Amino acid sequence: MIESDIDLQPHNTLAISAQSAHFARVQTLDQLREALTFARQRRLPILPLGGGSNIVLTGDFPGLAIQLDLRGLSVKSGDFGHTVSAAAGENWHQLVMTTVEKGLGGLENLALIPGKVGAAPIQNIGAYGIELRDRFSSLQAMEIASGEIHRFDTGDCAFAYRDSVFKGSLRDQYIITQVSLALPGAWEPCIGYPALHGYLQKRNWESGALTPAVVAQAVTDIRNSKLPLPEIIPNAGSFFKNPVVETALYESLKAVHPGLVAFAAGDRWKLAAAWLIDRAGWRGVRRNAVGVHDSQALVLVNPGRGSGEELTGLAEEIAADVYAKFGVSLEPEPRYYP
Ligand code: FAD
Ligand code: NAP
């Protein structure tokens, strides 16, 4: 069941070639437990793998990569709403479309996000004003040290902007095996993002006539128009998180750059990292095999199948330049391995 010296290139959407010392594809909880025991006995680090759309391989991985292929999906309706439960290896977009096709609303803004269900809570995936935490009910996860299954409710997950307890104090301690979501009985569309609103307005959609399927189609069309498909141009989506800064810094930047794109985030301000990178002159720039996408400056691309080092080198150059020009620090969103 456990293979050795496997190239992870087909397992990451940046198409970076890097060897994993060991590799296992698991389809049951028992297989996952066995894989964890194998790693524990050899003191190997573990790389849980979903769709590989939010990782950067900076070199060979000296441990055990575990491809999570646990399957199963159910949708149950009750008096107050709907419960969707899915195993970690289910495709996220398929889950969204399963609910949309049943006429259920709540997940449509999260259509077309690549990857698997098990990774969705890790960074509390979000798009177009909805985050996973808005629909989250609970999850089950296997503790890496013991092989025991534990349940986590919303309060246990410390969800925040592109963040959760699994990137913080519980990093590398659990493998998520199943996720349950709660969809509202009465659906309210969330169409405040300018791109989404503009798309629907252009097609004369009255809000009363909207359905989850219409919103899902709008999100799909908008995303397809500006994001590169990883199968064609390898990428990991947004390479940096949108920085959240103090009001004083926001105001000083806004005074110098009236076009700055920013949104209130509590008593601080979220700046559009894409605007900063674009304004610093990086959109469309190429560095040998790697570069910055020409219609979305937040997306670093790897059309020449370059190395993780080339890509992270470019990311560091961009972050340093943005800091020099705006005094704002950019933090990568995907996780680097090893
Ligand atoms: P992977 O890349 O395989 O893993 C990501 C991290 O989670 C790794 O650290 C991995 O070890 C860990 N992990 C994976 N599965 C498990 C598990 N079961 N248990 C424990 N740890 C696990 N993200 C957004 O939030 N919003 C977007 O709109 C969005 N758009 C994107 C568009 C494109 C074109 C691309 C390429 C990426 C986009 N992303 C977006 C980022 C990415 O798709 C999400 O973060 C997604 O949830 C990653 O899923 P994955 O299965 O590919 O995770
Ligand atoms: P966009 O619509 O051009 O908006 C640019 C930025 O402004 C986004 O990053 C978004 O922040 C923010 N924004 C826009 N309207 C907002 C509002 N009404 N309130 C608060 N913030 C607002 O962005 P885009 O690049 O095309 O992406 C569209 C959506 O898909 C965004 O939500 C984005 O996060 C998501 N996406 C994520 C990834 C990823 O890899 N993480 C990749 C592609 C797309 P937020 O990013 O916080 O929403």
Side-chain angles (χ1 to χ4, degrees):
M1 183 182 101
I2 308 233
E3 299 172 83
S4 298
D5 299 324
I6 296 295
D7 189 350
L8 295 178
Q9 192 169 39
H11 299 286
N12 73 99
T13 62
L14 276 163
I16 293 169
S17 176
Q19 298 284 119
S20 183
H22 305 279
F23 182 89
R25 172 172 168 249
V26 299
Q27 293 176 290
T28 66
L29 292 181
D30 281 343
Q31 288 177 352
L32 175 57
R33 226 171 253 119
E34 274 173 42
L36 294 180
T37 303
F38 174 92
R40 200 178 308 122
Q41 286 167 346
R42 292 160 183 79
R43 296 176 184 278
L44 297 173
I46 286 166
L47 163 51
L49 267 178
S53 63
N54 215 19
I55 58 170
V56 181
L57 297 167
T58 55
D60 289 341
F61 184 69
L64 172 65
I66 305 180
Q67 187 187 8
L68 294 152
D69 207 9
L70 308 165
R71 307 305 286 264
L73 173 64
S74 74
V75 182
K76 289 190 185 130
S77 294
D79 290 343
F80 302 105
H82 316 277
T83 305
V84 184
S85 298
E90 291 292 332
N91 178 280
W92 173 261
H93 175 68
Q94 286 306 319
L95 177 151
V96 172
M97 293 318 291
T98 299
T99 61
V100 166
E101 280 155 20
K102 289 179 185 294
L104 308 181
L107 296 176
E108 58 284 346
N109 292 41
L110 303 177
L112 223 61
I113 298 180
K116 302 288 172 73
V117 166
I122 301 287
Q123 74 155 0
N124 177 32
I125 56 169
Y128 297 99
I130 296 282
E131 293 180 345
L132 182 85
R133 69 171 152 188
D134 300 321
R135 306 291 178 239
F136 183 81
S137 175
S138 67
L139 63 79
Q140 294 192 356
M142 188 178 284
E143 191 181 25
I144 290 175
S146 65
E148 284 170 11
I149 296 284
H150 295 173
R151 176 190 160 118
F152 292 77
D153 294 314
T154 307
D156 305 319
C157 293
F159 288 126
Y161 182 61
R162 304 287 186 271
D163 201 15
S164 77
V165 73
F166 303 105
K167 287 178 86 173
S169 60
L170 294 186
R171 182 174 147 129
D172 294 333
Q173 292 188 39
Y174 282 90
I175 293 192
I176 295 169
T177 55
Q178 206 229 23
V179 177
S180 291
L181 306 171
L183 307 190
W187 177 64
E188 289 274 345
C190 171
I191 51 171
Y193 264 44
L196 192 48
H197 194 254
Y199 175 102
L200 295 166
Q201 217 171 26
K202 212 167 146 191
R203 288 158 184 79
N204 297 318
W205 277 100
E206 301 288 340
S207 66
L210 283 178
T211 62
V214 170
V215 178
Q217 188 60 52
V219 167
T220 303
D221 288 350
I222 298 166
R223 293 182 71 106
N224 279 335
S225 71
K226 65 191 288 196
L227 287 172
L229 268 182
E231 306 82 66
I232 296 169
I233 308 177
N235 74 89
S238 305
F239 203 89
F240 299 100
K241 293 187 204 173
N242 286 326
V244 179
V245 303
E246 300 302 328
T247 300
L249 177 54
Y250 159 73
E251 282 174 351
S252 66
L253 284 171
K254 188 78 181 168
V256 183
H257 308 283
L260 176 74
V261 178
F263 300 87
D267 58 356
R268 306 208 298 161
W269 287 82
K270 178 181 75 177
L271 310 182
W275 187 90
L276 298 169
I277 297 167
D278 194 355
R279 184 72 186 204
W282 287 95
R283 183 155 57 91
V285 167
R286 280 287 136 91
R287 284 272 191 281
N288 302 317
V290 301
V292 182
H293 190 50
D294 41 22
S295 54
Q296 168 50 296
L298 199 46
V299 176
L300 300 195
V301 292
N302 188 16
R305 274 58 172 176
S307 67
E309 259 180 17
E310 281 178 85
L311 197 86
T312 55
L314 175 63
E316 278 165 25
E317 241 190 287
I318 293 171
D321 191 40
V322 165
Y323 188 77
K325 289 184 169 131
F326 304 104
V328 176
S329 301
L330 292 181
E331 198 188 318
E333 183 183 287
R335 180 161 166 194
Y336 291 10
Y337 287 93

